Amino acid sequence: MHKLKVAPFQGKARAALDAMGLPPGTSVINPIDTPVKTLQEREGWIAGEILDHVFEHAEPDAIAMHLNLAAFVGRGTVDPIGNLFEVVRQTREKWPGIAHFALAMRTDGSAVLDQTRREYRMRAFDIGVPIYDEIPAMAQALAHIGHLERQLARRLP
């Protein structure tokens, strides 16, 4: 639809992700599909380990994340989404200029979750990560960025 390529991880990237021994229900093929329980591992810091393997071995152009707030809010005593923002900030510092980050953050339409998304949107803004309400809007934005980058690359000597 938006001509984005999502190639399965292979070689070292796949081996490193498989070696993490993530909980059942987690897929590391690409896209990486992590149930809430996986992202709550190590109080949400597990995402940093996953991203380190992806950046080291797969050299992504973009990291598109999707979170369903209804699955996270009110579960456990830790805020894995808040920790995820810190992981993204650290990842961008550690691997500068390699990949764009974008996040689709869905709610169930309730006032409480919509307010929570607004609060997370401000935190994401502070670290330079755009938040979209749905995956198609995020994919379209990333496709446009890719198109612009290809056009600019053709014009540079």
Side-chain angles (χ1 to χ4, degrees), residues 38 116 127:
T38 300
T116 300
I127 62 170

Side-chain angles (χ1 to χ4, degrees), residues 51-148:
L51 286 171
D52 277 344
H53 290 308
V54 170
F55 274 80
E56 182 176 355
H57 303 295
E59 301 175 7
D61 293 323
I63 301 292
M65 300 174 286
H66 171 252
L67 296 173
N68 182 351
L69 279 180
F72 283 92
V73 174
R75 294 186 184 213
T77 58
V78 174
D79 177 11
I81 298 172
N83 288 350
L84 178 64
F85 287 135
E86 180 58 20
V87 163
V88 169
R89 188 195 65 72
Q90 290 174 5
T91 300
R92 292 180 77 189
E93 252 179 40
K94 186 175 181 178
W95 306 94
I98 293 178
H100 299 283
F101 276 88
L103 173 61
M105 188 172 283
R106 295 191 56 182
T107 72
D108 60 6
S110 70
V112 170
L113 289 184
D114 284 347
Q115 177 59 34
T116 300
R117 179 171 50 196
R118 281 190 287 279
E119 292 167 10
Y120 281 132
R121 192 179 303 273
M122 294 307 299
R123 290 181 69 182
F125 178 80
D126 289 342
I127 62 170
V129 174
I131 291 185
Y132 301 88
D133 293 343
E134 299 288 340
I135 293 172
M138 177 178 62
Q140 183 176 22
L142 290 172
H144 287 303
I145 289 169
H147 174 76
L148 289 171

